[in-house]
Amino acid sequence: MKSTEDRILLAHGSGGRLSHELVQKSLVPSWSNPVLNRLDDAAVFKLSGRLAFTTDSYVVSPIFFPGGDIGKLSICGTVNDLAMCGAQPLYFSVALIIEEGFRLAELERIVTSIKEATEEAGVEIVTGDTKVVPRGSADKLFINTAGVGLIPEGVDISGSNARPGDKILLSGTIGEHGLAVMSQRESLEFKIPIQSDCAPLNKLVVDMLAASPEIHCLRDPTRGGLATTLNELATQSKVGMRIDEENIPLQEAVRATCELLGFDPLYVANEGKLVAILPPTDAERVLNQMRQNCYGREGAIIGEVVEQHPGRVVMRTRLGTSRLIDMLSGDLLPRIC
Amino acid sequence: MKFIDEYCNVELSQRLVERIRHKSAREVRLMEFCGGHTHAILRYGIRQLLPPTVEMLSGPGCPVCVTANADLDKAIALSGLPGVILASFGDMLRIPGSYSSLQKAKAEGADIRIVYSAMDALRLARENPHRSIIFLGIGFEATAPTIAASILEAEGERIDNYYVFSIHKLCPPVIRALLQSGEVKLDGIVCPGHVSAIIGSQPYEFIAKEYGIACAVAGFEPLDILLSIDMLLAQIESGKPEVEIAYRRGVRPEGNLRAQEIMGQVFETCPATWRGIGEVPQSGLRLRQEYQRFDTEKAFYVDPGPPREARGCLCGDILRGVKWPSDCRLFGQVCTPEHPVGPCMVSSEGSCAAYYQYQSHEAALSK
């Protein structure tokens, strides 16, 4: 373990001795696997079948938040992007952009949480990159990950596959990640018992596909929240959607915090939830299977796909009235009175 | 959830709706003063529950919306001064001023921080002793006391880098100005909830006495609002206008005396300019002589240039209740939450934002 004062220097990114030391002492041992350990210019491996490939950059601030950190997020986010195409995620790249002066001890915490997330998801980091930029050129640490996965035979999942009559499933309570991160931001610190839901959902998807290979759409409602995801799916599939406010799972703490701050939980980000759209005949079966998985325990059927009002999502409120659920516009900002 | 579910109870709301339908004998026009009420009414679809005889009109109760461009321009100019950190409630950032917005100023390099309360801004002052922290003091009587408290705290701790740009506004004087103009005919007013928690219900007495208009103070949950409408109809039908409280858990007739005291200690009333309404006497708050060292007006000089109004924007008329968002030719076409022309499309309490978000496609939904 390094002393708490050890920091990343520009030389750690120079490509010279310090760079090698950083990679070989701090990164490779933690993420070790045969493909990575060769340390060639590119990862070499065999894959055959239908591939899914995705990339995402992670710039969350602060980098440590209740329930996770930027490292865990950078693996789970990319795992989930692959899983939402029905793919089994396999091989990952991780690129770190580190601000000069970043504490080595913090880097090691993040490297460890990346390792734990890859182990849970069952994926391997096979290639990577490290850059150090002068102080002020980045905010502590940015991470880019890319991943490839294999799509099993017979699986055809796309945002444009929703059909009228389909049921809409949600894997659990919404809004936790957004509020957990927001609660830590400078000048907005408030104490709330809310943890980020950040989690890899690929095994949940495997379970759900085992219950029904007929799943039409899967999507994780991250930035923009559930409302934005449903709008995207409705637009892509050219169908309408009706959801029931009463059936949307919500933690009390999230609801109370949203009331207080003037947020609508439908628009708050999640990092460990998914929306599934599938034929009504399979809905109960998939829901039961979902609830067996630790990441789907509070899953619920929240609505259905309709022919009317294509591209629009309508919610039946708790009062029995109905209201349009639009996409998020702009940033989520607190209200003032 | 405690204290929320109870006020969203479906059975109780149905019973209230029945009562309202039963009571409603003729066409009445009610104004919900607060933008918070407008949003709750649209968010819960309360208009769908009301009989067609009850018309609900939005009032000027959105502090961000009624902020005049001249004041907004000044805030933007202040944010550009060297060494300044401007602390603001998030709602203000996207409001278009005459030439720019705080959001654009931030992108261009101004140090603008979003805070949830004046106390957060005061913390910034403690943490950044070599910078000047300007808090954008905006809001009605509901926010002014905490801002007054932050000034008292700053004084107690001898913090000398904390300033407040006070563009606070007061509700009763503007209601008087609206009624005096005679532009809108009203039968009843749903009076502010949070504001009344501070000032109480007594300051609205003149509305019933002098103008013969029914008043009910309401909270922001569906049952609160339905109850206030029920009270208003009862007053109207009996021909006995008065000020009732449909928000007993939050509001007492005399209000919060301690908060009023702090507010009065730090602030004094002054004329204020409201968007769409113009200058209203006694409707603003400025720092008293003893606290002027915290006043940006005294500590900084900026000249943002003459204010301009966006062409075609009806925000002013909408704030006075004489036009609907749908009357505006820009609404939903040129002016959207992504590309707002006027503040009513941006603020979480703005009428246009509420109508756009919850209702603009009602025709499509009724198919």
Side-chain angles (χ1 to χ4, degrees), chain A residues 129-204:
Chain A
D129 182 47
T130 315
K131 292 283 189 305
V132 179
V133 295
R135 200 178 255 279
S137 300
D139 185 7
K140 295 191 178 75
L141 174 66
F142 295 157
I143 302 180
N144 172 278
T145 59
V148 287
L150 270 174
I151 302 175
E153 284 300 315
V155 171
D156 175 23
I157 293 171
S158 159
S160 45
N161 285 353
R163 299 286 169 264
D166 282 357
K167 292 288 181 196
I168 305 169
L169 273 65
L170 175 65
S171 65
T173 52
I174 56 168
E176 289 122 59
H177 177 75
L179 289 187
V181 171
M182 229 174 304
S183 72
Q184 300 295 306
R185 291 234 166 119
E186 194 195 355
S187 10
L188 300 185
E189 269 173 56
F190 42 88
K191 291 198 173 59
I192 43 168
I194 298 172
Q195 299 241 315
S196 166
D197 59 344
C198 179
L201 299 175
N202 53 323
K203 291 180 179 165
L204 174 63

Side-chain angles (χ1 to χ4, degrees), chain A residues 188 255 318 321-322 329 336, chain B residues 5 10 44 48 89 116 338:
Chain A
L188 300 185
R255 202 157 131 206
R318 279 173 290 158
T321 54
S322 57
S329 40
I336 66 171
Chain B
D5 283 341
V10 177
Y44 295 107
Q48 299 161 32
F89 294 128
Y116 275 79
E338 289 74 28

Side-chain angles (χ1 to χ4, degrees), chain A residues 84-144:
Chain A
M84 295 310 120
C85 300
Q88 183 54 39
L90 295 168
Y91 299 116
F92 273 50
S93 72
V94 174
L96 307 173
I97 296 171
I98 313 171
E99 186 188 15
E100 176 190 15
F102 189 62
R103 285 177 201 281
L104 263 177
E106 291 193 340
L107 183 67
E108 286 183 351
R109 263 175 80 186
I110 285 162
V111 167
T112 305
S113 90
I114 288 178
K115 168 190 144 109
E116 287 165 3
T118 55
E119 282 172 358
E120 184 182 352
V123 300
E124 287 183 339
I125 296 169
V126 292
T127 185
D129 182 47
T130 315
K131 292 283 189 305
V132 179
V133 295
R135 200 178 255 279
S137 300
D139 185 7
K140 295 191 178 75
L141 174 66
F142 295 157
I143 302 180
N144 172 278

